[in-house]
Amino acid sequence: MLFFTQCFGAVLDLIHLRFQHYKAKRVFSAAGQLVCVVNPTHSLKYAPTRCAAAQASTEQGILPPCHHHEAVHDPQLVPCTCPLFSCPWEGHLEVVVSHLRQTHRISILQGAEIVFLATDMHLPAPTDWIIMHSCLGHQFLLVLRKQEKYEGHPQFFATMMLIGTPTQANNFTYRLELNRNQRRLKWEATPRSILECVDSVISDGDCLVLNTSLAQLFSDNGSLAIGIAITTSKVHSSEAEI
Amino acid sequence: MLFFTQCFGAVLDLIHLRFQHYKAKRVFSAAGQLVCVVNPTHSLKYAPTRCAAAQASTEQGILPPCHHHEAVHDPQLVPCTCPLFSCPWEGHLEVVVSHLRQTHRISILQGAEIVFLATDMHLPAPTDWIIMHSCLGHQFLLVLRKQEKYEGHPQFFATMMLIGTPTQANNFTYRLELNRNQRRLKWEATPRSILECVDSVISDGDCLVLNTSLAQLFSDNGSLAIGIAITTSKVHSSEAEI
């Protein structure tokens, strides 16, 4: 009986995903871009899996958990930058992508321009939508966060981080674009390095910020489609800071 | 002695304006756009001039003040849409521009693309920066407002209204662009008609919204430069709402 219930649940999930994907394709059909459906993650939801994260990192033989609190610290080690919860993992920059994929199950997409379709925007804050984007020989982490900076007034914050050093990050420009209901909002900036904290980028508000009413205007049936493009940096033509 | 003090004050004002204009030209020199320095207006500051507004409207022979509270109301008459204060004037849509220029001293600029340079962004909320923009045979009102939607957290709201009917407004698209410090933020939308209330557009958040930290990132010495462009409407190519 339990087996049949589980099967039925899985079939329902598949139908739901198929429906979300169909919606995204409908909205962005003209652009011909790759659409990725991203489901929300409530931060607290993953708290019990910390042990799994710690276990996985130990299995990878990088460093056992909690070693980063000790006096002798290897400066080449990077703590886990997954913003979902406080993960005790740390390791070299080169293995951050595999850690995020394996332990945090974050999807990775290829392509110069993709569409990030965040579902269930109505869920209460704090909620995160996260994906990795592989482009121009590097991997980027896109984080969309619903958060209440002012109590009772949730806002949406979107930013892109390079899984690399700040010097490498300076070579790129990322663009996030919302386009619906005869309105268009574009944010272009240099990605921050994943060595900086995503929480501080968001609390500083140095990212794309949407209030709830604007997010609703850009949403379609509770899903928000964000067009993402990454290019190599060039000086903005109309910006002449002498 | 009073005469010399006033002269000295006027010379200081001219030097200040010249300096602001030089700053704007420096920032936007590459774009070769017309830069307009817009000084802030604190809403309460103008309250004592209501009489002047009423007097001016009577002089224009349109309608004496307070007549719009009477039972017989001409539907072709438009109340004053200047968001600075509650002005008792009302008149036909065709004379709104001359009312705004003469009574509220709002400047009008010509050109397809202009730069709106709002000075003294640090002033406390509520503060407005207002200008009229003449383009494509129509006049538009640009309003930048600093307002505290959440107590202690001022935000900036920018929108453009057509001095015309909603049907006429649907024929245009306006773009507001901020560009500084390797960040670019663009907002594109159909202008609202001035027959709709600018206060409700701002309270709905259906406009360009900036939090204080983002406004600081885009500011240069307390002045915020907003590039403005108006075009005739076309369906956004990447927006396919079937």
Side-chain angles (χ1 to χ4, degrees), chain B:
Chain B
M1 183 63 195
L2 184 66
F3 174 75
F4 285 111
T5 313
Q6 281 182 341
C7 281
F8 185 66
V11 167
L12 276 184
D13 280 354
L14 276 173
I15 291 170
H16 178 73
L17 277 174
R18 186 79 208 153
F19 177 67
Q20 294 288 356
H21 191 247
Y22 168 75
K23 272 201 304 186
K25 279 189 82 171
R26 190 169 62 89
V27 174
F28 282 87
S29 57
Q33 290 167 317
L34 178 68
V35 175
C36 175
V37 177
V38 187
N39 292 312
T41 312
H42 199 282
S43 301
L44 300 173
K45 196 173 159 184
Y46 283 83
T49 63
R50 283 188 193 188
C51 302
Q55 192 188 346
S57 65
T58 316
E59 279 165 11
Q60 285 164 34
I62 297 155
L63 206 81
C66 301
H67 266 221
H68 59 289
H69 297 301
E70 289 182 8
V72 183
H73 182 81
D74 183 346
Q76 290 188 313
L77 290 179
V78 176
C80 173
T81 46
C82 178
L84 292 176
F85 64 97
S86 168
C87 167
W89 181 90
E90 62 178 13
H92 289 275
L93 201 54
E94 296 76 26
V95 288
V96 168
V97 173
S98 62
H99 168 73
L100 292 173
R101 289 189 74 171
Q102 289 164 20
T103 311
H104 300 292
R105 310 272 177 220
I106 297 175
S107 307
I108 189 160
L109 280 179
Q110 303 276 341
E113 294 196 14
I114 61 168
V115 176
F116 174 100
L117 187 79
T119 65
D120 305 311
M121 300 290 288
H122 63 277
L123 286 180
T127 301
D128 283 304
W129 292 258
I130 297 170
I131 203 170
M132 277 191 290
H133 183 191
S134 178
C135 178
L136 301 169
H138 285 81
Q139 277 77 38
F140 300 83
L141 188 73
L142 178 78
V143 180
L144 170 68
R145 177 170 294 176
K146 187 176 185 178
Q147 191 174 311
E148 285 189 14
K149 268 183 131 177
Y150 318 118
E151 213 183 313
H153 300 282
Q155 287 177 292
F156 293 88
F157 303 86
T159 190
M160 205 142 202
M161 319 278 290
L162 174 76
I163 303 176
T165 63
T167 314
Q168 288 173 321
N170 279 336
N171 296 325
F172 298 98
T173 298
Y174 74 96
R175 190 184 72 216
L176 305 179
E177 184 173 340
L178 303 170
N179 186 9
R180 205 174 168 266
N181 272 329
Q182 293 181 299
R183 287 158 185 85
R184 188 181 288 185
L185 186 62
K186 274 188 201 178
W187 165 259
E188 267 180 47
T190 303
R192 296 288 191 94
S193 159
I194 202 139
L195 301 177
E196 299 176 68
C197 181
V198 68
D199 293 332
S200 67
V201 172
I202 287 173
S203 64
D204 290 351
D206 185 12
C207 53
L208 177 65
V209 186
L210 287 178
N211 54 34
T212 316
S213 54
L214 215 48
Q216 276 172 350
L217 276 168
F218 283 114
S219 297
D220 181 21
N221 273 329
S223 294
L224 184 73
I226 306 177
I228 305 169
I230 297 173
T231 51
T232 47
S233 273
K234 55 183 188 291
V235 176
H236 295 308
S237 59
S238 57
E239 181 181 20
E241 290 174 292
I242 304 156

Side-chain angles (χ1 to χ4, degrees), chain A residues 167-185:
Chain A
T167 314
Q168 288 173 320
N170 280 336
N171 296 325
F172 298 97
T173 298
Y174 74 96
R175 191 184 72 217
L176 305 179
E177 183 173 340
L178 304 170
N179 186 10
R180 205 173 169 267
N181 273 327
Q182 293 180 299
R183 288 158 185 85
R184 189 181 286 185
L185 186 62

Side-chain angles (χ1 to χ4, degrees), chain A residues 39-43 83-84 126-130 143-146 202:
Chain A
N39 293 310
T41 313
H42 199 281
S43 300
L84 292 175
T127 301
D128 283 303
W129 291 258
I130 296 170
V143 180
L144 170 68
R145 176 170 295 174
K146 187 175 185 178
I202 287 173

Side-chain angles (χ1 to χ4, degrees), chain A residues 55-68:
Chain A
Q55 192 188 349
S57 63
T58 316
E59 280 164 10
Q60 285 165 34
I62 297 156
L63 205 82
C66 303
H67 266 222
H68 58 290

